[in-house]
Short mmCIF file of all heavy atoms in Angstrom, two decimals:
data_model
loop_
_atom_site.label_atom_id
_atom_site.label_comp_id
_atom_site.label_asym_id
_atom_site.label_seq_id
_atom_site.Cartn_x
_atom_site.Cartn_y
_atom_site.Cartn_z
N ALA A 284 64.62 149.97 120.16
CA ALA A 284 64.02 149.00 119.24
C ALA A 284 64.13 149.49 117.80
O ALA A 284 64.10 150.69 117.53
CB ALA A 284 62.55 148.78 119.61
N LEU A 285 64.26 148.53 116.91
CA LEU A 285 64.24 148.78 115.47
C LEU A 285 63.13 147.91 114.91
O LEU A 285 63.29 146.69 114.81
CB LEU A 285 65.59 148.41 114.84
CG LEU A 285 65.77 148.66 113.34
CD1 LEU A 285 65.69 150.14 113.03
CD2 LEU A 285 67.10 148.11 112.86
N PRO A 286 61.97 148.49 114.57
CA PRO A 286 60.82 147.68 114.15
C PRO A 286 61.13 146.81 112.94
O PRO A 286 61.93 147.18 112.08
CB PRO A 286 59.75 148.74 113.82
CG PRO A 286 60.18 149.96 114.57
CD PRO A 286 61.67 149.93 114.58
N ARG A 287 60.48 145.67 112.87
CA ARG A 287 60.64 144.79 111.72
C ARG A 287 60.24 145.53 110.44
O ARG A 287 59.20 146.16 110.37
CB ARG A 287 59.76 143.55 111.89
CG ARG A 287 59.92 142.50 110.80
CD ARG A 287 58.97 141.34 111.03
NE ARG A 287 59.23 140.67 112.29
CZ ARG A 287 60.12 139.69 112.45
NH1 ARG A 287 60.82 139.27 111.40
NH2 ARG A 287 60.30 139.12 113.63
N GLY A 288 61.09 145.49 109.44
CA GLY A 288 60.80 146.14 108.17
C GLY A 288 61.05 147.63 108.16
O GLY A 288 60.73 148.31 107.17
N ALA A 289 61.64 148.18 109.23
CA ALA A 289 61.84 149.64 109.31
C ALA A 289 62.71 150.16 108.19
O ALA A 289 62.57 151.31 107.77
CB ALA A 289 62.45 150.00 110.67
N LEU A 290 63.65 149.33 107.69
CA LEU A 290 64.61 149.78 106.68
C LEU A 290 64.25 149.29 105.28
O LEU A 290 65.01 149.54 104.34
CB LEU A 290 66.02 149.28 107.06
CG LEU A 290 66.49 149.67 108.47
CD1 LEU A 290 67.82 149.00 108.77
CD2 LEU A 290 66.60 151.17 108.60
N ALA A 291 63.14 148.63 105.14
CA ALA A 291 62.74 148.10 103.84
C ALA A 291 62.56 149.24 102.84
O ALA A 291 61.98 150.27 103.15
CB ALA A 291 61.44 147.31 103.97
N GLY A 292 63.07 149.06 101.64
CA GLY A 292 62.94 150.07 100.60
C GLY A 292 64.13 150.99 100.46
O GLY A 292 64.20 151.76 99.50
N LEU A 293 65.08 150.92 101.40
CA LEU A 293 66.27 151.78 101.31
C LEU A 293 67.34 151.08 100.47
O LEU A 293 68.40 150.68 100.95
CB LEU A 293 66.81 152.08 102.72
CG LEU A 293 65.86 152.84 103.65
CD1 LEU A 293 66.51 153.07 105.00
CD2 LEU A 293 65.44 154.17 103.03
N ARG A 294 67.07 150.96 99.20
CA ARG A 294 67.91 150.16 98.32
C ARG A 294 69.22 150.85 97.95
O ARG A 294 70.12 150.24 97.40
CB ARG A 294 67.14 149.77 97.04
CG ARG A 294 65.88 148.96 97.33
CD ARG A 294 65.26 148.40 96.06
NE ARG A 294 66.15 147.46 95.39
CZ ARG A 294 66.31 146.19 95.75
NH1 ARG A 294 65.64 145.69 96.78
NH2 ARG A 294 67.15 145.39 95.09
N GLU A 295 69.35 152.15 98.26
CA GLU A 295 70.59 152.87 98.00
C GLU A 295 71.43 153.07 99.26
O GLU A 295 72.53 153.62 99.19
CB GLU A 295 70.28 154.25 97.39
CG GLU A 295 69.50 154.21 96.07
CD GLU A 295 70.30 153.52 94.97
OE1 GLU A 295 71.53 153.69 94.94
OE2 GLU A 295 69.69 152.78 94.17
N LEU A 296 70.93 152.60 100.42
CA LEU A 296 71.61 152.85 101.68
C LEU A 296 72.95 152.12 101.72
O LEU A 296 73.02 150.91 101.56
CB LEU A 296 70.75 152.40 102.85
CG LEU A 296 71.22 152.87 104.23
CD1 LEU A 296 71.07 154.38 104.36
CD2 LEU A 296 70.45 152.17 105.35
N ARG A 297 74.01 152.89 101.95
CA ARG A 297 75.37 152.34 101.96
C ARG A 297 75.98 152.29 103.35
O ARG A 297 76.80 151.43 103.63
CB ARG A 297 76.28 153.19 101.06
CG ARG A 297 75.83 153.24 99.61
CD ARG A 297 76.72 154.17 98.80
NE ARG A 297 76.21 154.35 97.45
CZ ARG A 297 76.72 155.20 96.57
NH1 ARG A 297 77.76 155.95 96.91
NH2 ARG A 297 76.21 155.32 95.37
N SER A 298 75.61 153.23 104.21
CA SER A 298 76.23 153.31 105.53
C SER A 298 75.14 153.52 106.59
O SER A 298 74.34 154.45 106.47
CB SER A 298 77.25 154.45 105.58
OG SER A 298 77.90 154.50 106.82
N LEU A 299 75.12 152.65 107.59
CA LEU A 299 74.10 152.71 108.64
C LEU A 299 74.79 152.69 110.00
O LEU A 299 75.53 151.75 110.32
CB LEU A 299 73.15 151.52 108.50
CG LEU A 299 72.08 151.36 109.59
CD1 LEU A 299 71.15 152.58 109.63
CD2 LEU A 299 71.27 150.08 109.35
N TRP A 300 74.55 153.72 110.80
CA TRP A 300 75.16 153.85 112.12
C TRP A 300 74.07 153.73 113.19
O TRP A 300 73.22 154.61 113.33
CB TRP A 300 75.85 155.21 112.28
CG TRP A 300 76.99 155.48 111.33
CD1 TRP A 300 77.20 154.90 110.11
CD2 TRP A 300 78.07 156.39 111.54
NE1 TRP A 300 78.34 155.41 109.54
CE2 TRP A 300 78.90 156.32 110.39
CE3 TRP A 300 78.41 157.26 112.57
CZ2 TRP A 300 80.05 157.10 110.25
CZ3 TRP A 300 79.54 158.03 112.44
CH2 TRP A 300 80.36 157.95 111.29
N LEU A 301 74.13 152.63 113.94
CA LEU A 301 73.19 152.40 115.03
C LEU A 301 73.92 152.16 116.36
O LEU A 301 73.30 151.74 117.33
CB LEU A 301 72.30 151.18 114.72
CG LEU A 301 71.32 151.34 113.57
CD1 LEU A 301 70.71 149.99 113.19
CD2 LEU A 301 70.21 152.33 113.93
N ASN A 302 75.21 152.41 116.38
CA ASN A 302 75.99 152.17 117.58
C ASN A 302 75.63 153.12 118.72
O ASN A 302 75.03 154.17 118.50
CB ASN A 302 77.49 152.29 117.28
CG ASN A 302 77.86 153.63 116.67
OD1 ASN A 302 77.58 153.89 115.50
ND2 ASN A 302 78.48 154.51 117.46
N ASP A 303 75.99 152.72 119.93
CA ASP A 303 75.75 153.55 121.12
C ASP A 303 74.29 153.91 121.30
O ASP A 303 73.93 155.08 121.44
CB ASP A 303 76.64 154.79 121.09
CG ASP A 303 78.11 154.46 121.22
OD1 ASP A 303 78.58 154.33 122.36
OD2 ASP A 303 78.79 154.30 120.18
N ASN A 304 73.46 152.88 121.26
CA ASN A 304 72.04 153.04 121.56
C ASN A 304 71.67 152.04 122.66
O ASN A 304 72.54 151.61 123.43
CB ASN A 304 71.19 152.84 120.30
CG ASN A 304 71.07 154.11 119.48
OD1 ASN A 304 70.38 155.05 119.86
ND2 ASN A 304 71.77 154.16 118.34
N GLU A 305 70.40 151.66 122.75
CA GLU A 305 69.94 150.74 123.78
C GLU A 305 69.26 149.52 123.17
O GLU A 305 68.36 148.93 123.77
CB GLU A 305 69.02 151.48 124.75
CG GLU A 305 69.72 152.62 125.48
CD GLU A 305 68.82 153.42 126.40
OE1 GLU A 305 67.68 152.96 126.65
OE2 GLU A 305 69.25 154.49 126.88
N LEU A 306 69.71 149.13 121.98
CA LEU A 306 69.13 147.98 121.28
C LEU A 306 69.49 146.69 122.01
O LEU A 306 70.66 146.44 122.33
CB LEU A 306 69.64 147.92 119.85
CG LEU A 306 69.33 149.13 118.96
CD1 LEU A 306 70.05 149.01 117.62
CD2 LEU A 306 67.83 149.25 118.74
N THR A 307 68.50 145.84 122.23
CA THR A 307 68.74 144.55 122.88
C THR A 307 68.59 143.40 121.89
O THR A 307 69.14 142.32 122.12
CB THR A 307 67.78 144.33 124.05
OG1 THR A 307 66.42 144.42 123.58
CG2 THR A 307 68.00 145.38 125.14
N THR A 308 67.86 143.61 120.81
CA THR A 308 67.70 142.56 119.81
C THR A 308 67.36 143.19 118.47
O THR A 308 67.07 144.40 118.40
CB THR A 308 66.61 141.55 120.23
OG1 THR A 308 66.68 140.40 119.37
CG2 THR A 308 65.22 142.17 120.15
N LEU A 309 67.42 142.39 117.41
CA LEU A 309 67.08 142.84 116.07
C LEU A 309 66.29 141.74 115.38
O LEU A 309 66.61 140.55 115.55
CB LEU A 309 68.35 143.14 115.26
CG LEU A 309 69.20 144.32 115.72
CD1 LEU A 309 70.57 144.28 115.06
CD2 LEU A 309 68.49 145.64 115.41
N ALA A 310 65.28 142.11 114.62
CA ALA A 310 64.46 141.12 113.94
C ALA A 310 65.26 140.43 112.84
O ALA A 310 66.09 141.06 112.18
CB ALA A 310 63.22 141.78 113.33
#
């Protein structure tokens, strides 16, 4: 799971790797 708003505030984030996990949905 990736909680709603978990990435809020990361205004400089350029690269995000979430592959090869067990995510079934995203908010």
Side-chain angles (χ1 to χ4, degrees):
L285 182 64
R287 185 182 298 274
L290 306 174
L293 298 180
R294 300 189 63 80
E295 301 297 324
L296 192 68
R297 300 176 187 173
S298 183
L299 176 61
W300 298 24
L301 292 169
N302 56 286
D303 293 274
N304 275 288
E305 298 177 11
L306 300 172
T307 58
T308 192
L309 293 166

